[in-house]
Amino acid sequence: MRRLITGQAAAKGLALGRARVCEAHGLDISEERIEEDRIDDELARLHLAIDRARDELAKLRDRLHGAIAQEIGEFLDLHAMLLDDPELLAGFDRLIRDEGYSAAYALKLQRDRLVAVFDGMDDPYLRSRREDIDHVIGRVHAGLQRRDSDAMEGLAGDVLICDSVAPSEIAQLAERGVVAIVTAQGSPLSHSAILARSLHVPLVVGAHDALGQVNDGDAMMVDGRSGEVIVEPSAADLRRFRQRKRESQREQERLALLKKKATRTKDGVDIRLFANAESREDVAQAHDLGAAGIGLYRTEFLFLQRSELPDEEEQFRVYRDVVLGMRGRPVTIRSLDLGADKADKTGLALASEPNPALGLRGVRLSLRHVDAMRTQLRAVLRASGYGPIRLLVPMISSRDEIRRVRREFLDCARDLRTEGYEIADNLELGAMIEVPAAALALPRMIGDVEFLSIGTNDLVQYLLAVDRNNDALGDLYSPLHPAVLRLLHDVIKLGQKHAKRVLVCGEMAADPAQTRLLLALGLTDFSLHPGSMLEVRQIIRESDHHALRRRASTLLRAPDREAIERAIARL
Ligand code: PEP
Ligand code: MG
C-alpha cells in the first residue's frame, strides 16, 4: 500500500529503488549448532566471507581520492587490520571446530566478547571504537549471508533506510551503487549531508517514521530536493517521477549551458561565485563550472576518522593540489574547525564537553595547540608558492584571536623563507563571522582582517540559540529571522565601507530560494557547493541588482519569518 513519509531535504536528486532497511547495530542471531561433518565446510564459508570483506575494503581504499581518502582510509585500514587479528581468527576457529557453533553464531559471540571489552575501557575514545567492531563483523556477516551469485549485486539500486549515517559510510554506499539514503535522524547541515551533496547521493534526513513504515524490498521513490519519500508508489506517482526526471534532465542540460557564462545580473553587476570544497572531485568540478575560486576548503575532513594528526608534508600536498587544481584562481583554506559536531579522534579536541557547540572548537582549539596550528599554517604557506591562497579562521569571537593567529602565520612565513621555501608576499587572513559577538564587534576588528566570510550555518545556530543538528528544532532553525537579516546586512555593509571582501559560505548561499534575498542585502560574493552553482548563477543572471537593492529596507523591516517570506516572494 502506498505510504508517504516526509523528512528534511539534505541532498537533492530523484531516485527510484528497492528498500534496504539497515538493522541497528548488533547481530540478532540465535544460537545455532552444526553437525560434525559440516565443520570444515562452515569454516571454509566463514573464511571466504572474511576474504571477501578484506577484498571489499581494499577495493574501496583504492578507489578513494583526495581528502575523502584521508578521512576514510584510516578507518578502512583499521577494519582490515581487525580482520587479520590472529586472536579474532583463532577464536572463530575454536568456536566452530571445538564448540560446534555455526559461523554466524561464532561471529555474534566474538562480536559480543569484543564489544564487552571495549565497553569496559576507561578511555572514551577507545570505548567509541566499539562501533568499528560492529562494522567489521557486520560486513563479514553480510558476506556470509550472500550466495555467490549475489556477490556482485551488493547494494546497487537500493535505497538505504537507516537510523543515521556516518560521513565515512556515505562514500562507501555511493561506491556500492546505493541510489538514495533515508535516515530517521540527522540534519541537512550535518557533515554527512555535506558529503552526500558532494558525492551526489540523494539524502533525506529526519524521516522519523522511515524505520517503522518501510520493509526490506519495498519499492521506494525518493526526492532529495523536497524531502518526500514514497513507499510503494502508485502508477500516478511513477508517472510523476518519470516526468520530474525528464524535467530535471532538461534542467541539467539548460544549466550546463551556463558553465562558461558570466555570473552577471541583468543590469550588468558582476557577482562572484566561489566554491565550497572538501575533496579533489569538488575542486575539479568547481573549476569546470567556472567558479571564481575556492571560497571555503574545509580542512577538518583531513583530520576526521584518524588517530594521528596529518603532518606538514601530507597537508602541504593536499593544499597544493587544491591550488594547482584551481589553476590560478584564489583558494581559501580554512584552518582546522574541529570540535562540536566534528568529532575528533586525534586527541586534539576534548573527548567530552558539557556543551560542545559552545566549547573548545575552531580557532579556540587551534590556539590551545599552537604546535598543531603551526604545522597547518606552514603547510598552507608552502602551498602559497604554487598559486593564490588565503587563510580563513573559523569561530572568531574576538580581535585577540585573529591577532594571535596572524602573529603565528607571519612567524611561520619568516621561518619558511629562512629555510629557503618560496612563499607568496601578500598573505591574506580572513575571519569567519559565525559567532554573533564577532559580527557585533566587527567595527573594532575589521582593520585586523583582509576579508570576511559569513558562516550562516553557525551564525543562525548561535544567534537564535537553536542547535543546527537537532532535527526536533528544525522549524526554529531558519536564516529567515529579522535578527539574521539585520546582522547579514550590517556585516556586508561594513565590509563594503572598508573595502573588504565579504562572502557568505554557509548553506544559505547555496539555496536558490535565498539568492535574491542575499543580493538584496548587498552580497556580491557567494561561496557554495558546486552542485548548486549553476542554479544560483541562473537566478543571478535573471535578477535586476539595483531593483533588488531598493527592496532591502522592506526586507529589514519585516517583523517575522512569515513577513520575510512574503517579502522574498515579491522580490
Ligand atoms: C558555517 O558555519 O556556516 C560554515 C560554513 O562552517 P561549517 O558548516 O563547516 O561549520
Ligand atoms: Mg561553521
Side-chain angles (χ1 to χ4, degrees):
M1 197 184 60
R2 178 186 190 274
R3 269 117 50 215
L4 172 68
I5 301 172
T6 42
Q8 285 183 273
K12 68 182 177 197
L14 283 169
L16 188 63
R18 46 177 194 275
R20 176 79 68 108
V21 182
C22 300
E23 297 292 333
H25 287 316
L27 298 175
D28 188 16
I29 299 164
S30 36
E31 183 172 335
E32 193 188 5
R33 298 210 183 239
I34 50 169
E35 300 296 325
E36 216 175 317
D37 59 354
R38 265 189 54 207
I39 284 179
D40 285 337
D41 285 350
E42 197 66 355
L43 272 168
R45 221 163 63 80
L46 178 64
H47 284 280
L48 184 69
I50 292 174
D51 289 345
R52 203 178 262 161
R54 235 188 246 118
D55 213 39
E56 282 171 5
L57 288 168
K59 280 200 186 117
L60 188 59
R61 183 84 165 91
D62 284 350
R63 286 200 290 266
L64 297 173
H65 303 287
I68 291 172
Q70 307 286 353
E71 183 196 338
I72 297 160
E74 278 245 335
F75 170 82
L76 297 177
D77 289 347
L78 179 87
H79 288 191
M81 242 163 65
L82 269 170
L83 285 177
D84 284 333
D85 181 54
E87 206 177 317
L88 183 74
L89 296 177
F92 287 139
D93 287 3
R94 191 179 41 73
L95 286 165
I96 297 173
R97 194 171 291 288
D98 303 345
E99 316 261 343
Y101 287 121
S102 68
Y105 197 63
L107 275 175
K108 176 185 159 45
L109 289 176
Q110 283 288 66
R111 179 246 170 222
D112 291 351
R113 182 183 67 77
L114 286 169
V115 164
V117 174
F118 274 75
D119 278 349
M121 287 177 178
D122 287 335
D123 185 303
Y125 166 65
L126 287 176
R127 226 173 22 240
S128 75
R129 302 305 313 209
R130 59 165 284 181
E131 259 184 39
D132 293 314
I133 304 291
D134 277 330
H135 285 140
V136 176
I137 300 281
R139 188 183 283 281
V140 177
H141 186 242
L144 203 58
Q145 300 298 94
R146 224 184 286 150
R147 294 189 310 275
D148 283 345
S149 56
D150 291 344
M152 299 311 291
E153 204 177 82
L155 293 163
D158 284 357
V159 172
L160 202 75
I161 316 292
C162 47
D163 193 49
S164 64
V165 64
S168 53
E169 290 166 333
I170 297 261
Q172 192 175 358
L173 294 167
E175 270 293 318
R176 301 188 71 177
V178 160
V179 291
I181 303 174
V182 178
T183 66
Q185 312 286 330
S187 137
L189 297 168
S190 69
H191 291 87
S192 295
I194 289 171
L195 262 182
R197 290 194 283 276
S198 171
L199 296 167
H200 307 288
V201 181
L203 172 67
V204 173
V205 298
H208 303 289
D209 300 340
L211 283 168
Q213 294 249 17
V214 183
N215 304 309
D216 245 354
D218 282 348
M220 304 286 295
M221 215 173 105
V222 180
D223 186 342
R225 187 191 286 271
S226 64
E228 195 183 74
V229 178
I230 299 176
V231 190
E232 294 294 326
S234 63
D237 292 322
L238 291 173
R239 258 195 312 279
R240 207 155 45 91
F241 175 83
R242 273 201 304 280
Q243 189 182 337
R244 275 201 235 163
K245 262 286 208 231
R246 275 197 299 273
E247 282 165 8
S248 127
Q249 182 73 30
R250 275 199 295 272
E251 173 75 355
Q252 290 310 317
E253 285 163 12
R254 254 199 321 272
L255 288 175
L257 301 175
L258 296 179
K259 273 191 193 178
K260 301 272 179 276
K261 293 268 165 63
T263 312
R264 186 170 298 139
T265 62
K266 271 198 316 205
D267 51 336
V269 177
D270 279 317
I271 303 294
R272 278 167 297 271
L273 295 185
F274 292 85
N276 289 358
E278 282 87 46
S279 66
R280 199 192 282 184
E281 290 72 19
D282 290 343
V283 173
Q285 205 191 346
H287 187 276
D288 183 46
L289 297 175
I294 300 292
L296 172 66
Y297 190 83
R298 287 183 164 99
T299 59
E300 50 278 8
F301 285 106
L302 261 169
F303 289 71
L304 299 175
Q305 297 290 359
R306 59 192 291 171
S307 47
E308 308 235 317
L309 293 172
D311 64 14
E312 179 182 318
E313 192 60 28
E314 181 182 342
Q315 291 191 57
F316 158 65
R317 285 170 181 277
V318 172
Y319 308 152
R320 185 190 60 185
D321 282 356
V322 180
V323 172
L324 292 176
M326 288 310 287
R327 297 181 232 165
R329 297 181 208 168
V331 168
T332 313
I333 302 280
R334 182 170 73 181
S335 66
L336 190 56
D337 188 17
L338 278 185
D341 60 320
K342 293 159 190 166
D344 157 57
K345 300 185 176 175
T346 62
L348 269 190
L350 297 178
S352 72
E353 289 185 281
N355 210 337
L358 303 181
L360 199 58
R361 64 170 288 201
V363 70
R364 303 169 184 182
L365 187 70
S366 297
L367 289 169
R368 288 279 180 103
H369 297 276
V370 174
D371 285 348
M373 176 170 72
R374 286 178 68 95
T375 303
Q376 180 167 48
L377 296 181
R378 281 176 60 93
V380 172
L381 285 162
R382 281 176 57 192
S384 78
Y386 292 79
I389 198 164
R390 315 170 179 140
L391 186 76
L392 176 62
V393 188
M395 282 298 285
I396 289 288
S397 57
S398 72
R399 189 178 73 162
D400 173 59
E401 288 163 341
I402 199 87
R403 289 193 164 181
R404 285 168 66 195
V405 175
R406 188 184 296 275
R407 267 201 300 279
E408 297 298 339
F409 200 41
L410 294 178
D411 197 51
C412 289
R414 234 181 343 263
D415 286 355
L416 286 164
R417 288 198 183 99
T418 314
E419 291 165 37
Y421 287 103
E422 171 66 26
I423 307 295
D425 294 326
N426 56 334
L427 299 172
E428 293 192 356
L429 200 67
M432 292 270 303
I433 301 298
E434 48 188 349
V435 177
L440 293 167
L442 197 56
R444 276 158 290 288
M445 217 155 75
I446 195 155
D448 285 86
V449 292
E450 278 75 43
F451 69 99
L452 300 164
S453 190
I454 309 178
T456 46
N457 304 344
D458 278 315
L459 187 63
V460 171
Q461 136 162 296
Y462 294 127
L463 193 57
L464 306 185
V466 179
D467 183 346
R468 66 189 262 187
N469 288 311
N470 183 345
D471 61 322
L473 299 175
D475 288 349
L476 293 178
Y477 184 98
S478 165
L480 303 185
H481 187 288
V484 177
L485 299 202
R486 169 55 62 188
L487 268 201
L488 282 172
H489 173 265
D490 290 357
V491 172
I492 294 167
K493 196 163 155 207
L494 195 72
Q496 279 159 356
K497 183 168 155 209
H498 291 262
K500 304 274 162 102
R501 175 161 292 184
V502 180
L503 290 94
V504 169
C505 66
E507 294 303 307
M508 193 181 178
D511 183 353
Q514 323 267 355
T515 307
R516 283 185 217 280
L517 165 68
L518 290 172
L519 290 172
L521 295 177
L523 189 74
T524 53
D525 292 73
F526 293 62
S527 190
L528 63 167
H529 185 267
S532 304
M533 190 161 284
L534 296 180
E535 241 177 297
V536 170
R537 181 175 291 154
Q538 181 175 22
I539 294 176
I540 291 172
R541 286 170 60 85
E542 289 164 354
S543 299
D544 180 330
H545 191 254
H546 290 91
L548 286 174
R549 292 291 286 128
R550 282 196 294 276
R551 308 301 295 270
S553 53
T554 313
L555 285 161
L556 291 169
R557 274 200 309 272
D560 54 26
R561 180 170 169 175
E562 287 68 33
I564 293 173
E565 280 171 351
R566 277 198 304 274
I568 291 176
R570 287 195 297 269
L571 284 176

